[in-house]
């Protein structure tokens, strides 16, 4: 096993097509041991498909190519068992909807005990003790009494906690959280984010946090990858990206969210929508929506490159520091309706 790399997971040139339509165009992404990486972008950009592909969870009709290494060991193209051993064990994934992970007809305690038996070989009293410890760890009050309840007897936020407890049963090195708080109200969202931060601090597991919510990403993550139309278009530390977004798309995402600090400003949504993967524009995929597009952007596609100051960016005309959005990208009243 090659352990020379400090990365826990390395995705290289990961591509996915459904029925001949390419939706992921070559993703290169590293996750370091214990690191928290955010993945942001509008709906349909390929955030979920990236990790479903990496874990071998896409349906058979999906064509997946590229390399997925865990601790230097290649998983892609290998036997199904290689993925199965890793999933739920060294890498766990939680989703927006807990019902996709919790079985509605099994008591919650039994589900966690089964996960402990599968991934850690625990049975009987030691398994029950560990399940109670996990329930306690994710903040389920009175876990001993609630051990034998069914999922529907818990609230939405508690179900999310139960799903996290199941994910922790395999003592994962990496937890992939795909929009884990989107369906919850704001107070519960904040609690689940706090829980993810606390668990990472306690266990040292790496986290991939997929979200539309840039605020949540900044709380949970150290590094962020911004995706657009099946590609990573900008990558950097949270501090860099939030203080000075360089890609016009990243800048657009920031301009479209309300600020709680600073003067009140009109929000500027990015005009238009994410293109259909079947009909991607020529050149840069973001070009029809971009306030900085020039002629070259319509014929050539920028590749993700490291700029002189070490930022990763795919753009011919990056945004300059404090540059206002140009008038032609400002939305008209009818776009706001
Ligand atoms: N099973 C599938 N069959 C066909 N196309 C799919 C399938 N799953 C995803 N896609 C397509 O792949 C593209 C990327 O989808 P993906 O679910 O990764 O987006 P996302 O960034 O996670 O969006 P969201 O924020 O809405 O979850 C989309 O165009 C989507 O329609
Ligand atoms: S390459 Fe051109 S169109 Fe694409 S984001 Fe940069 S400026 Fe905009
Ligand atoms: Mg998704």
């Amino acid at each position: 096993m090659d352990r020379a790399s400090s990365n826990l997971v390395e995705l290289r040139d990961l591509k996915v097509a459904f029925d001949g339509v390419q939706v992921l165009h070559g993703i290169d992404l590293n996750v370091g041991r214990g690191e928290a990486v955010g993945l942001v972008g509008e709906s349909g950009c390929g955030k979920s498909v990236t990790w479903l592909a990496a874990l071998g969870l896409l349906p058979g009709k999906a064509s997946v190519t590229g390399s997925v290494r865990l601790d230097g060991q290649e998983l892609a193209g290998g036997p199904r068992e290689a993925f199965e051993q890793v999933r739920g064990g060294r890498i766990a994934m939680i989703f927006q909807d807990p019902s996709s992970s919790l079985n509605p007809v099994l008591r919650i305690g039994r589900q966690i005990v089964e996960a402990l038996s599968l991934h850690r070989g625990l049975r009987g009293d030691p398994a029950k003790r560990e399940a109670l410890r996990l329930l306690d760890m994710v903040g389920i009050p009175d876990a001993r009494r609630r051990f034998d309840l069914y999922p529907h007897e818990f609230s939405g936020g508690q179900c999310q906690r139960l799903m996290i407890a199941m994910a922790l049963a395999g003592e994962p090195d990496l937890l992939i959280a795909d929009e884990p708080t989107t369906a919850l109200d704001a107070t519960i969202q904040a609690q689940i984010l706090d829980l993810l931060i606390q668990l990472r601090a306690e266990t040292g597991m790496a986290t991939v946090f997929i979200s539309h919510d840039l605020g949540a990403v900044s709380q949970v993550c150290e590094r962020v990858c911004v995706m657009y139309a099946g590609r990573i278009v900008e990558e950097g530390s949270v501090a860099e990206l939030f203080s000075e977004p360089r890609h016009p798309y990243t800048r657009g995402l920031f301009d479209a969210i309300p600020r709680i600090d600073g003067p009140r400003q009109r929000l500027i949504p990015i005009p238009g929508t994410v293109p259909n993967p079947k009909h991607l524009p020529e050149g840069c995929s973001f070009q029809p929506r971009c306030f900085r597009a020039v002629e070259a952007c319509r014929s050539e596609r920028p590749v993700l490159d490291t700029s002189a100051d070490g930022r990763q960016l795919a753009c011919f005309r990056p945004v300059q520091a404090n540059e206002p959005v140009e008038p032609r990208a400002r939305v008209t009243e009818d776009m706001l309706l």
Side-chain angles (χ1 to χ4, degrees), residues 199-225:
L199 291 174
R200 181 171 157 241
E202 281 172 17
T203 63
M205 71 185 169
T207 305
V208 168
F209 185 72
I210 301 177
S211 181
H212 291 96
D213 184 344
L214 289 164
V217 168
S218 74
Q219 283 177 50
V220 176
C221 303
E222 288 138 3
R223 191 155 59 85
V224 191
C225 297

Short mmCIF file of all heavy atoms in Angstrom, two decimals, residues 199-225:
data_model
loop_
_atom_site.label_atom_id
_atom_site.label_comp_id
_atom_site.label_asym_id
_atom_site.label_seq_id
_atom_site.Cartn_x
_atom_site.Cartn_y
_atom_site.Cartn_z
N LEU A 199 -18.08 16.39 16.44
CA LEU A 199 -17.70 14.99 16.20
C LEU A 199 -16.36 14.91 15.48
O LEU A 199 -15.55 14.04 15.76
CB LEU A 199 -18.77 14.28 15.36
CG LEU A 199 -20.10 14.04 16.07
CD1 LEU A 199 -21.12 13.46 15.10
CD2 LEU A 199 -19.90 13.09 17.26
N ARG A 200 -16.15 15.83 14.57
CA ARG A 200 -14.86 15.83 13.85
C ARG A 200 -13.73 16.11 14.83
O ARG A 200 -12.67 15.47 14.79
CB ARG A 200 -14.90 16.86 12.74
CG ARG A 200 -13.63 16.89 11.96
CD ARG A 200 -13.72 17.75 10.73
NE ARG A 200 -12.38 18.14 10.37
CZ ARG A 200 -11.96 19.39 10.32
NH1 ARG A 200 -12.78 20.39 10.56
NH2 ARG A 200 -10.72 19.65 10.01
N ALA A 201 -13.96 17.06 15.74
CA ALA A 201 -12.93 17.39 16.73
C ALA A 201 -12.66 16.18 17.63
O ALA A 201 -11.51 15.89 17.98
CB ALA A 201 -13.36 18.59 17.55
N GLU A 202 -13.72 15.45 17.99
CA GLU A 202 -13.56 14.32 18.91
C GLU A 202 -12.95 13.10 18.24
O GLU A 202 -12.18 12.36 18.84
CB GLU A 202 -14.93 13.92 19.49
CG GLU A 202 -15.38 14.84 20.59
CD GLU A 202 -16.82 14.56 21.03
OE1 GLU A 202 -17.35 13.47 20.73
OE2 GLU A 202 -17.40 15.43 21.68
N THR A 203 -13.34 12.84 16.99
CA THR A 203 -12.93 11.58 16.34
C THR A 203 -11.75 11.76 15.40
O THR A 203 -11.10 10.78 15.04
CB THR A 203 -14.09 10.97 15.52
OG1 THR A 203 -14.42 11.90 14.48
CG2 THR A 203 -15.32 10.72 16.37
N GLY A 204 -11.51 12.98 14.92
CA GLY A 204 -10.43 13.21 13.97
C GLY A 204 -10.77 12.76 12.56
O GLY A 204 -9.91 12.71 11.68
N MET A 205 -12.06 12.43 12.31
CA MET A 205 -12.41 11.97 10.96
C MET A 205 -12.45 13.16 9.99
O MET A 205 -12.77 14.28 10.37
CB MET A 205 -13.76 11.25 10.96
CG MET A 205 -14.94 12.15 11.17
SD MET A 205 -16.47 11.22 11.32
CE MET A 205 -17.56 12.54 11.89
N ALA A 206 -12.11 12.88 8.74
CA ALA A 206 -12.22 13.91 7.71
C ALA A 206 -13.70 14.05 7.34
O ALA A 206 -14.50 13.14 7.56
CB ALA A 206 -11.41 13.49 6.48
N THR A 207 -14.05 15.23 6.81
CA THR A 207 -15.46 15.47 6.45
C THR A 207 -15.51 16.10 5.06
O THR A 207 -14.74 17.02 4.76
CB THR A 207 -16.10 16.46 7.45
OG1 THR A 207 -15.94 15.94 8.76
CG2 THR A 207 -17.59 16.64 7.18
N VAL A 208 -16.43 15.60 4.24
CA VAL A 208 -16.78 16.31 3.00
C VAL A 208 -18.19 16.81 3.21
O VAL A 208 -19.09 16.03 3.49
CB VAL A 208 -16.71 15.40 1.76
CG1 VAL A 208 -17.35 16.09 0.56
CG2 VAL A 208 -15.27 15.05 1.43
N PHE A 209 -18.35 18.12 3.12
CA PHE A 209 -19.63 18.73 3.43
C PHE A 209 -20.20 19.34 2.14
O PHE A 209 -19.63 20.27 1.59
CB PHE A 209 -19.42 19.80 4.50
CG PHE A 209 -20.67 20.44 4.99
CD1 PHE A 209 -21.55 19.74 5.81
CD2 PHE A 209 -20.98 21.74 4.64
CE1 PHE A 209 -22.70 20.33 6.27
CE2 PHE A 209 -22.13 22.35 5.10
CZ PHE A 209 -23.00 21.64 5.92
N ILE A 210 -21.29 18.76 1.65
CA ILE A 210 -21.90 19.22 0.40
C ILE A 210 -23.06 20.12 0.76
O ILE A 210 -23.94 19.72 1.53
CB ILE A 210 -22.40 18.02 -0.43
CG1 ILE A 210 -21.24 17.06 -0.74
CG2 ILE A 210 -23.09 18.49 -1.69
CD1 ILE A 210 -21.64 15.81 -1.48
N SER A 211 -23.07 21.34 0.23
CA SER A 211 -24.13 22.27 0.64
C SER A 211 -24.30 23.42 -0.33
O SER A 211 -23.36 23.83 -1.00
CB SER A 211 -23.80 22.83 2.02
OG SER A 211 -24.80 23.69 2.45
N HIS A 212 -25.54 23.94 -0.39
CA HIS A 212 -25.79 25.20 -1.11
C HIS A 212 -25.44 26.38 -0.21
O HIS A 212 -25.35 27.50 -0.67
CB HIS A 212 -27.29 25.36 -1.39
CG HIS A 212 -27.83 24.41 -2.38
ND1 HIS A 212 -28.45 23.24 -2.02
CD2 HIS A 212 -27.84 24.44 -3.72
CE1 HIS A 212 -28.83 22.61 -3.10
NE2 HIS A 212 -28.48 23.31 -4.15
N ASP A 213 -25.32 26.10 1.08
CA ASP A 213 -25.26 27.16 2.07
C ASP A 213 -23.82 27.54 2.37
O ASP A 213 -23.11 26.86 3.12
CB ASP A 213 -25.97 26.63 3.34
CG ASP A 213 -26.06 27.68 4.43
OD1 ASP A 213 -25.33 28.68 4.35
OD2 ASP A 213 -26.83 27.47 5.37
N LEU A 214 -23.38 28.65 1.79
CA LEU A 214 -21.98 29.06 1.95
C LEU A 214 -21.65 29.37 3.42
O LEU A 214 -20.54 29.13 3.87
CB LEU A 214 -21.70 30.29 1.09
CG LEU A 214 -21.66 30.03 -0.41
CD1 LEU A 214 -21.76 31.33 -1.19
CD2 LEU A 214 -20.38 29.30 -0.79
N GLY A 215 -22.63 29.87 4.14
CA GLY A 215 -22.42 30.17 5.56
C GLY A 215 -22.10 28.90 6.32
O GLY A 215 -21.15 28.84 7.12
N ALA A 216 -22.89 27.85 6.06
CA ALA A 216 -22.67 26.57 6.75
C ALA A 216 -21.30 26.00 6.36
O ALA A 216 -20.57 25.49 7.22
CB ALA A 216 -23.79 25.59 6.37
N VAL A 217 -20.95 26.12 5.09
CA VAL A 217 -19.65 25.61 4.63
C VAL A 217 -18.52 26.31 5.37
O VAL A 217 -17.55 25.68 5.79
CB VAL A 217 -19.51 25.79 3.09
CG1 VAL A 217 -18.09 25.55 2.63
CG2 VAL A 217 -20.47 24.85 2.37
N SER A 218 -18.66 27.61 5.56
CA SER A 218 -17.57 28.35 6.21
C SER A 218 -17.44 27.94 7.68
O SER A 218 -16.36 28.00 8.25
CB SER A 218 -17.79 29.86 6.11
OG SER A 218 -18.83 30.25 6.99
N GLN A 219 -18.54 27.50 8.29
CA GLN A 219 -18.45 27.06 9.69
C GLN A 219 -17.77 25.71 9.82
O GLN A 219 -17.02 25.46 10.73
CB GLN A 219 -19.84 26.91 10.28
CG GLN A 219 -20.51 28.22 10.65
CD GLN A 219 -21.91 27.91 11.16
OE1 GLN A 219 -22.10 27.07 12.03
NE2 GLN A 219 -22.88 28.57 10.60
N VAL A 220 -18.10 24.81 8.87
CA VAL A 220 -17.69 23.42 9.02
C VAL A 220 -16.32 23.14 8.40
O VAL A 220 -15.58 22.29 8.88
CB VAL A 220 -18.76 22.49 8.38
CG1 VAL A 220 -18.35 21.04 8.42
CG2 VAL A 220 -20.11 22.67 9.09
N CYS A 221 -15.99 23.87 7.31
CA CYS A 221 -14.86 23.43 6.45
C CYS A 221 -13.64 24.35 6.53
O CYS A 221 -13.74 25.51 6.89
CB CYS A 221 -15.31 23.37 5.01
SG CYS A 221 -16.71 22.29 4.80
N GLU A 222 -12.50 23.78 6.11
CA GLU A 222 -11.27 24.56 5.98
C GLU A 222 -11.01 24.94 4.52
O GLU A 222 -10.40 25.94 4.22
CB GLU A 222 -10.07 23.72 6.43
CG GLU A 222 -10.03 23.49 7.91
CD GLU A 222 -9.65 22.08 8.25
OE1 GLU A 222 -9.36 21.27 7.35
OE2 GLU A 222 -9.66 21.77 9.45
N ARG A 223 -11.47 24.07 3.62
CA ARG A 223 -11.19 24.27 2.20
C ARG A 223 -12.51 24.10 1.45
O ARG A 223 -13.39 23.34 1.88
CB ARG A 223 -10.19 23.21 1.75
CG ARG A 223 -9.60 23.42 0.39
CD ARG A 223 -8.24 22.72 0.31
NE ARG A 223 -8.31 21.29 0.57
CZ ARG A 223 -8.60 20.38 -0.35
NH1 ARG A 223 -8.85 20.75 -1.59
NH2 ARG A 223 -8.65 19.10 -0.04
N VAL A 224 -12.63 24.81 0.32
CA VAL A 224 -13.88 24.73 -0.44
C VAL A 224 -13.58 24.48 -1.92
O VAL A 224 -12.66 25.08 -2.48
CB VAL A 224 -14.68 26.07 -0.39
CG1 VAL A 224 -16.08 25.88 -0.96
CG2 VAL A 224 -14.75 26.62 1.00
N CYS A 225 -14.37 23.62 -2.55
CA CYS A 225 -14.34 23.43 -3.99
C CYS A 225 -15.67 23.93 -4.53
O CYS A 225 -16.73 23.52 -4.04
CB CYS A 225 -14.20 21.97 -4.36
SG CYS A 225 -12.68 21.24 -3.79
#
